[in-house]
Amino acid sequence: MRESSQGVTVVALLADPDAPTDVARRIARMLPDRLAEKAGQGRRFDVKVVSEPFTSGTEDPHTLMRRIMERASAENWDIVVALTDLPLHSHGRRILVDLSHEHGLALLSLPSLGGLRLQTRARRAVEEAVLGLAGPQSTGAEGLPRSQPLPGPFAGRLAPVHRGQVGDEEAADLRYIVSGPRGYLRVLVGMVRANRPWRLVSGLSKALAAALATGAIATLDSTTWSLSGALSAPRLVIAMVGSVGLMIGWLIVDGELWHRSTEGSPEARQRARLYNTSTVLTVGIGALVCYVGLMVINLVWALFILNDRVFASTTGTPLHATEYLTLSWFVASVATVAGALGSGLESDEAIRAATYSTREEQRRHMLQGDHGDQLMT
């Protein structure tokens, strides 16, 4: 049973910057009391949150566990739970968590928890990991550590989570993986959520300015009135899909978001496909949010500025709710195309924030900057 000399078990939540750090800080607020309540026997826990890019330069679970082990050895920590928003793989398997009972370490991949109720699932996962590492354990017949059972997010009758095989050379002694189509979907949704696609909207300020200006002008144009009234619903749908698709493709190409693996192994190709699928979904959700926002803004603008007599004299159709909606829908498609072209004025950094591979590159630059600062001092 891991416990410091003062009778308090020191737990460190080592989290990657950005989303994992936010998750860790929210967990840390109530974790000591919850752990003490579940552990019983007067156990006390002191929880610390440490934010640093421990995954910089690698996605190999064995290397990451070694880094965590070295980091823990330099501190007075009894248990370390590391949180990352990278999807971790080993031998073609998608990892949920790696645990080392010998060293009191756990490595948790947040995307493998899925995209729904992430905070709750992450909290339960951290609790089960800490209790499993802090409690007494024995060794089963197959040589695997057998401590307290790990229910909740690690295993369940309906969850695509089960124990995975751990190599003899690896630092972990227990692994849980997600498998099958449901497991793939769970990781993919978790990656998209970790990317926070709604931030793409605020990151495309120049593109939005171009789209809003185009929408405002197009709403006042009589040719646009005539076209919107002449287009059928299927054609309006095609215009919407085409404009959103153009924005998605333009952002991916212009921002160089497509991940190309430098390795030829099947595992590397599988990881690249996962990255690219999450990027397309992330940018797609962001583009759809932009489209809906433009449609609403154009509708409000049309309600404010259009005159029903002028509209009827030009188009021969009275200005009713259907005409307002159809015009706003069509103008949103036109404005989205203008926004796609305007995104060329955006910085690559703002666009690249939507992809995992480039965020890993940012972490590498951050770590190099820290080393440079240390050398200068």
Side-chain angles (χ1 to χ4, degrees):
M1 183 176 297
R2 293 181 174 272
E3 190 171 2
S4 64
S5 57
Q6 291 81 13
V8 178
T9 301
V10 180
V11 179
L13 300 182
L14 180 63
D16 265 331
D18 203 15
T21 297
D22 296 338
V23 172
R25 285 172 178 165
R26 286 193 290 267
I27 291 175
R29 294 170 188 167
M30 60 181 68
L31 188 60
D33 294 335
R34 293 183 63 89
L35 290 175
E37 179 183 354
K38 291 188 175 184
Q41 301 177 352
R43 295 287 299 275
R44 292 185 298 161
F45 294 85
D46 180 22
V47 178
K48 305 177 183 294
V49 176
V50 180
S51 178
E52 60 183 53
F54 69 93
T55 59
S56 294
T58 184
E59 299 175 13
D60 177 55
H62 177 63
T63 303
L64 294 178
M65 288 292 282
R66 289 294 180 186
R67 285 185 179 180
I68 300 168
M69 191 183 307
E70 293 173 359
R71 184 70 174 86
S73 63
E75 303 288 345
N76 188 27
W77 298 337
D78 300 308
I79 294 175
V80 181
V81 180
L83 291 80
T84 179
D85 56 357
L86 287 177
L88 301 179
H89 298 77
S90 179
H91 307 293
R93 303 288 185 176
R94 293 174 285 275
I95 297 175
L96 171 59
V97 63
D98 271 355
L99 300 105
S100 173
H101 292 78
E102 178 183 357
H103 302 96
L105 308 177
L107 173 60
L108 178 64
S109 176
L110 294 178
S112 295
L113 292 173
L116 302 177
R117 300 171 57 241
L118 175 63
Q119 189 64 43
T120 301
R121 287 180 175 180
R123 174 181 54 77
R124 293 174 59 194
V126 171
E127 289 176 5
E128 298 299 337
V130 173
L131 293 174
L133 295 172
Q137 63 192 63
S138 59
T139 303
E142 299 179 358
L144 293 173
R146 186 178 59 205
S147 61
Q148 301 177 10
L150 297 176
F154 286 166
R157 186 178 56 171
L158 300 179
V161 180
H162 54 83
R163 281 194 179 190
Q165 189 175 8
V166 183
D168 296 335
E169 75 285 355
E170 298 191 60
D173 51 36
L174 182 60
R175 169 173 294 160
Y176 283 88
I177 61 174
V178 292
S179 60
R182 290 180 61 233
Y184 178 87
L185 182 61
R186 179 170 173 166
V187 174
L188 182 60
V189 173
M191 290 176 64
V192 173
R193 189 193 189 283
N195 281 337
R196 294 192 270 191
W198 52 89
R199 296 198 309 179
L200 188 64
V201 178
S202 61
L204 298 177
S205 57
K206 296 181 179 66
L208 283 177
L212 290 173
T214 302
I217 295 173
T219 302
L220 302 176
D221 185 64
S222 59
T223 304
T224 306
W225 301 349
S226 301
L227 284 175
S228 64
L231 292 176
S232 61
R235 289 192 174 187
L236 287 171
V237 171
I238 293 174
M240 177 184 67
V241 173
S243 62
V244 172
L246 177 63
M247 174 169 274
I248 294 172
W250 185 273
L251 288 174
I252 291 177
V253 173
D254 185 58
E256 299 180 354
L257 301 182
W258 199 255
H259 182 76
R260 294 178 176 83
S261 176
T262 56
E263 305 175 18
S265 64
E267 184 175 347
R269 290 195 296 268
Q270 181 188 46
R271 187 165 56 247
R273 285 195 298 269
L274 187 63
Y275 277 135
N276 291 330
T277 304
S278 70
T279 298
V280 171
L281 290 176
T282 299
V283 178
I285 292 173
L288 283 174
V289 171
C290 289
Y291 188 94
V292 173
L294 288 172
M295 187 172 178
V296 172
I297 293 173
N298 290 330
L299 177 59
V300 174
W301 173 242
L303 289 170
F304 174 76
I305 202 69
L306 292 185
N307 182 278
D308 55 348
R309 293 181 181 178
V310 176
F311 187 91
S313 64
T314 303
T315 63
T317 304
L319 187 58
H320 297 310
T322 303
E323 283 68 36
Y324 277 115
L325 291 174
T326 303
L327 177 62
S328 301
W329 190 0
F330 177 65
V331 169
S333 299
V334 176
T336 300
V337 174
L341 299 177
S343 65
L345 302 175
E346 301 285 353
S347 65
D348 290 343
E349 289 76 12
I351 301 176
R352 290 176 182 175
T355 182
Y356 262 99
S357 56
T358 52
R359 206 157 55 216
E360 167 65 10
E361 184 177 355
Q362 291 175 356
R363 291 192 181 117
R364 191 181 307 117
H365 291 330
M366 186 188 303
L367 188 62
Q368 291 174 351
D370 292 341
H371 288 331
D373 294 339
Q374 292 175 1
L375 291 175
M376 292 178 63
T377 55

